mmCIF file of all heavy atoms in Angstrom:
data_model
loop_
_atom_site.group_PDB
_atom_site.id
_atom_site.type_symbol
_atom_site.label_atom_id
_atom_site.label_comp_id
_atom_site.label_asym_id
_atom_site.label_seq_id
_atom_site.Cartn_x
_atom_site.Cartn_y
_atom_site.Cartn_z
ATOM 1 N N ILE A 693 80.419 -23.952 -107.956
ATOM 2 C CA ILE A 693 80.905 -22.733 -107.315
ATOM 3 C C ILE A 693 82.430 -22.792 -107.226
ATOM 4 O O ILE A 693 83.012 -23.832 -106.900
ATOM 5 C CB ILE A 693 80.332 -22.564 -105.886
ATOM 6 C CG1 ILE A 693 78.814 -22.485 -105.920
ATOM 7 C CG2 ILE A 693 80.926 -21.329 -105.199
ATOM 8 C CD1 ILE A 693 78.253 -21.272 -106.599
ATOM 9 N N GLY A 694 83.087 -21.664 -107.483
ATOM 10 C CA GLY A 694 84.533 -21.553 -107.306
ATOM 11 C C GLY A 694 84.878 -20.197 -106.699
ATOM 12 O O GLY A 694 84.311 -19.177 -107.094
ATOM 13 N N ASN A 695 85.765 -20.196 -105.703
ATOM 14 C CA ASN A 695 86.178 -18.945 -105.047
ATOM 15 C C ASN A 695 87.694 -18.899 -104.926
ATOM 16 O O ASN A 695 88.325 -19.906 -104.615
ATOM 17 C CB ASN A 695 85.585 -18.823 -103.639
ATOM 18 C CG ASN A 695 84.082 -19.041 -103.599
ATOM 19 O OD1 ASN A 695 83.629 -20.064 -103.121
ATOM 20 N ND2 ASN A 695 83.324 -18.100 -104.103
ATOM 21 N N VAL A 696 88.265 -17.727 -105.162
ATOM 22 C CA VAL A 696 89.690 -17.472 -104.939
ATOM 23 C C VAL A 696 89.798 -16.233 -104.063
ATOM 24 O O VAL A 696 89.190 -15.203 -104.384
ATOM 25 C CB VAL A 696 90.456 -17.248 -106.256
ATOM 26 C CG1 VAL A 696 91.921 -16.959 -105.966
ATOM 27 C CG2 VAL A 696 90.314 -18.457 -107.171
ATOM 28 N N GLU A 697 90.546 -16.351 -102.963
ATOM 29 C CA GLU A 697 90.755 -15.203 -102.080
ATOM 30 C C GLU A 697 92.234 -15.040 -101.788
ATOM 31 O O GLU A 697 92.937 -16.024 -101.580
ATOM 32 C CB GLU A 697 90.003 -15.362 -100.757
ATOM 33 C CG GLU A 697 88.536 -15.051 -100.823
ATOM 34 C CD GLU A 697 87.894 -15.020 -99.428
ATOM 35 O OE1 GLU A 697 88.646 -15.107 -98.425
ATOM 36 O OE2 GLU A 697 86.664 -14.918 -99.348
ATOM 37 N N LEU A 698 92.699 -13.802 -101.768
ATOM 38 C CA LEU A 698 94.014 -13.448 -101.247
ATOM 39 C C LEU A 698 93.766 -12.710 -99.943
ATOM 40 O O LEU A 698 93.249 -11.585 -99.939
ATOM 41 C CB LEU A 698 94.783 -12.571 -102.231
ATOM 42 C CG LEU A 698 95.332 -13.273 -103.469
ATOM 43 C CD1 LEU A 698 96.013 -12.258 -104.384
ATOM 44 C CD2 LEU A 698 96.333 -14.355 -103.074
ATOM 45 N N GLN A 699 94.104 -13.367 -98.828
ATOM 46 C CA GLN A 699 93.806 -12.827 -97.510
ATOM 47 C C GLN A 699 95.062 -12.211 -96.905
ATOM 48 O O GLN A 699 96.123 -12.837 -96.902
ATOM 49 C CB GLN A 699 93.276 -13.941 -96.607
ATOM 50 C CG GLN A 699 92.051 -14.640 -97.167
ATOM 51 C CD GLN A 699 91.678 -15.902 -96.396
ATOM 52 O OE1 GLN A 699 92.460 -16.399 -95.580
ATOM 53 N NE2 GLN A 699 90.491 -16.425 -96.650
ATOM 54 N N MET A 700 94.928 -10.996 -96.385
ATOM 55 C CA MET A 700 96.079 -10.268 -95.836
ATOM 56 C C MET A 700 95.693 -9.607 -94.525
ATOM 57 O O MET A 700 94.525 -9.247 -94.339
ATOM 58 C CB MET A 700 96.544 -9.199 -96.829
ATOM 59 C CG MET A 700 97.180 -9.764 -98.088
ATOM 60 S SD MET A 700 96.960 -8.685 -99.524
ATOM 61 C CE MET A 700 95.257 -9.028 -99.980
ATOM 62 N N PRO A 701 96.661 -9.479 -93.601
ATOM 63 C CA PRO A 701 96.359 -8.766 -92.351
ATOM 64 C C PRO A 701 95.905 -7.345 -92.648
ATOM 65 O O PRO A 701 96.402 -6.705 -93.572
ATOM 66 C CB PRO A 701 97.690 -8.780 -91.593
ATOM 67 C CG PRO A 701 98.485 -9.884 -92.210
ATOM 68 C CD PRO A 701 98.053 -9.956 -93.641
ATOM 69 N N PHE A 702 94.966 -6.861 -91.858
ATOM 70 C CA PHE A 702 94.504 -5.493 -92.035
ATOM 71 C C PHE A 702 95.647 -4.539 -91.698
ATOM 72 O O PHE A 702 96.401 -4.790 -90.761
ATOM 73 C CB PHE A 702 93.301 -5.223 -91.122
ATOM 74 C CG PHE A 702 92.494 -4.032 -91.540
ATOM 75 C CD1 PHE A 702 91.623 -4.110 -92.608
ATOM 76 C CD2 PHE A 702 92.607 -2.831 -90.859
ATOM 77 C CE1 PHE A 702 90.876 -3.014 -93.004
ATOM 78 C CE2 PHE A 702 91.870 -1.724 -91.240
ATOM 79 C CZ PHE A 702 90.995 -1.816 -92.315
ATOM 80 N N PRO A 703 95.824 -3.460 -92.469
ATOM 81 C CA PRO A 703 96.925 -2.527 -92.193
ATOM 82 C C PRO A 703 96.945 -2.086 -90.736
ATOM 83 O O PRO A 703 95.943 -1.640 -90.192
ATOM 84 C CB PRO A 703 96.621 -1.347 -93.126
ATOM 85 C CG PRO A 703 95.859 -1.948 -94.257
ATOM 86 C CD PRO A 703 95.041 -3.040 -93.637
ATOM 87 N N GLY A 704 98.110 -2.263 -90.100
ATOM 88 C CA GLY A 704 98.267 -1.865 -88.709
ATOM 89 C C GLY A 704 97.952 -2.939 -87.708
ATOM 90 O O GLY A 704 98.182 -2.766 -86.508
ATOM 91 N N SER A 705 97.426 -4.115 -88.157
ATOM 92 C CA SER A 705 97.060 -5.165 -87.211
ATOM 93 C C SER A 705 98.187 -6.158 -86.975
ATOM 94 O O SER A 705 98.021 -7.104 -86.202
ATOM 95 C CB SER A 705 95.824 -5.918 -87.723
ATOM 96 O OG SER A 705 96.110 -6.609 -88.933
ATOM 97 N N GLY A 706 99.345 -5.954 -87.640
ATOM 98 C CA GLY A 706 100.482 -6.857 -87.442
ATOM 99 C C GLY A 706 100.150 -8.259 -87.921
ATOM 100 O O GLY A 706 99.624 -8.456 -89.019
ATOM 101 N N SER A 707 100.452 -9.242 -87.077
ATOM 102 C CA SER A 707 100.220 -10.643 -87.447
ATOM 103 C C SER A 707 98.879 -11.154 -86.949
ATOM 104 O O SER A 707 98.609 -12.354 -87.011
ATOM 105 C CB SER A 707 101.347 -11.521 -86.877
ATOM 106 O OG SER A 707 101.397 -11.403 -85.466
ATOM 107 N N ASP A 708 98.025 -10.262 -86.446
ATOM 108 C CA ASP A 708 96.714 -10.656 -85.944
ATOM 109 C C ASP A 708 95.854 -11.155 -87.103
ATOM 110 O O ASP A 708 95.544 -10.416 -88.032
ATOM 111 C CB ASP A 708 96.052 -9.466 -85.251
ATOM 112 C CG ASP A 708 94.691 -9.821 -84.662
ATOM 113 O OD1 ASP A 708 94.361 -11.022 -84.611
ATOM 114 O OD2 ASP A 708 93.964 -8.898 -84.244
ATOM 115 N N ARG A 709 95.463 -12.440 -87.033
ATOM 116 C CA ARG A 709 94.682 -13.017 -88.123
ATOM 117 C C ARG A 709 93.179 -12.868 -87.910
ATOM 118 O O ARG A 709 92.390 -13.270 -88.767
ATOM 119 C CB ARG A 709 95.022 -14.502 -88.294
ATOM 120 C CG ARG A 709 96.427 -14.742 -88.813
ATOM 121 C CD ARG A 709 96.599 -16.160 -89.289
ATOM 122 N NE ARG A 709 96.473 -17.128 -88.218
ATOM 123 C CZ ARG A 709 96.327 -18.431 -88.404
ATOM 124 N NH1 ARG A 709 96.283 -18.911 -89.623
ATOM 125 N NH2 ARG A 709 96.232 -19.248 -87.388
ATOM 126 N N SER A 710 92.764 -12.317 -86.774
ATOM 127 C CA SER A 710 91.336 -12.180 -86.522
ATOM 128 C C SER A 710 90.721 -11.040 -87.330
ATOM 129 O O SER A 710 89.514 -11.003 -87.532
ATOM 130 C CB SER A 710 91.073 -11.948 -85.030
ATOM 131 O OG SER A 710 91.625 -10.717 -84.601
ATOM 132 N N LEU A 711 91.555 -10.105 -87.813
ATOM 133 C CA LEU A 711 91.074 -9.001 -88.645
ATOM 134 C C LEU A 711 91.898 -8.981 -89.927
ATOM 135 O O LEU A 711 93.099 -8.731 -89.896
ATOM 136 C CB LEU A 711 91.200 -7.674 -87.892
ATOM 137 C CG LEU A 711 90.757 -6.419 -88.672
ATOM 138 C CD1 LEU A 711 89.279 -6.507 -89.033
ATOM 139 C CD2 LEU A 711 91.035 -5.170 -87.853
#
Side-chain angles (χ1 to χ4, degrees):
I693 300 294
N695 309 108
V696 179
E697 281 189 7
L698 286 177
Q699 303 170 347
M700 291 151 282
F702 199 77
S705 65
S707 59
D708 182 11
R709 291 194 295 167
S710 65
L711 179 62

